[in-house]
């Protein structure tokens, strides 16, 4: 929900181009299909694993990449944006950017 609200705000500001919005809807649809089929974990399950490990960083939301079958969680701390990429099938952290 938070991700959708943030995305909508960015889209209205012109910060996000239309093709990105179309891709996001496509990925959301694929994520729902994959979750129903039991192929990937729900975003809330991923968040429950990752958020406690991020200390005092503020959570900004997530995006799902249907090609990589991965979630990207976005955080900010002290003005610095950080990403945590997580395998959607296993919940394993793939990469952390700092």
């Amino acid at each position: 929900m938070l991700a959708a609200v943030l995305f909508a705000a960015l889209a209205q500001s012109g910060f996000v181009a239309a093709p990105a919005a179309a891709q996001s809807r496509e990925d959301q649809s694929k994520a729902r299909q994959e979750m129903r089929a039991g192929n990937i974990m729900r975003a809330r399950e991923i968040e429950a694993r990752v958020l406690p490990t991020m200390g005092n960083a503020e959570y900004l939301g997530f995006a799902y990449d249907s090609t990589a079958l991965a979630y990207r969680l976005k955080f900010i701390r002290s003005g610095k944006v950080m990403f945590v990429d997580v395998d959607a099938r296993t919940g394993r952290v793939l990469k952390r950017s700092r």
Side-chain angles (χ1 to χ4, degrees):
M1 179 77 172
L2 177 62
V5 171
L6 288 172
F7 184 79
L10 289 173
Q12 284 182 336
S13 71
F15 189 77
V16 177
Q23 179 65 35
S24 177
R25 282 191 299 275
E26 220 174 272
D27 279 346
Q28 287 176 2
S29 175
K30 288 179 183 179
R32 277 197 251 11
Q33 290 172 352
E34 292 291 332
M35 279 188 284
R36 287 186 189 120
N39 297 330
I40 65 170
M41 297 174 70
R42 295 189 177 281
R44 301 300 172 233
E45 293 174 281
I46 300 292
E47 291 170 336
R49 290 179 180 210
V50 176
L51 270 58
T53 69
M54 295 304 293
N56 64 346
E58 181 182 347
Y59 180 53
L60 300 175
F62 71 92
Y64 175 71
D65 182 340
S66 62
T67 304
L69 293 176
Y71 289 100
R72 172 167 274 191
L73 284 70
K74 186 176 181 178
F75 298 86
I76 190 165
R77 181 186 305 142
S78 302
K80 182 168 171 132
V81 176
M82 301 171 291
F83 297 99
V84 179
D85 296 334
V86 181
D87 185 306
R89 294 163 292 195
T90 66
R92 184 176 65 87
V93 173
L94 302 170
K95 180 180 171 185
R96 291 178 187 261
S97 68
R98 301 229 177 222

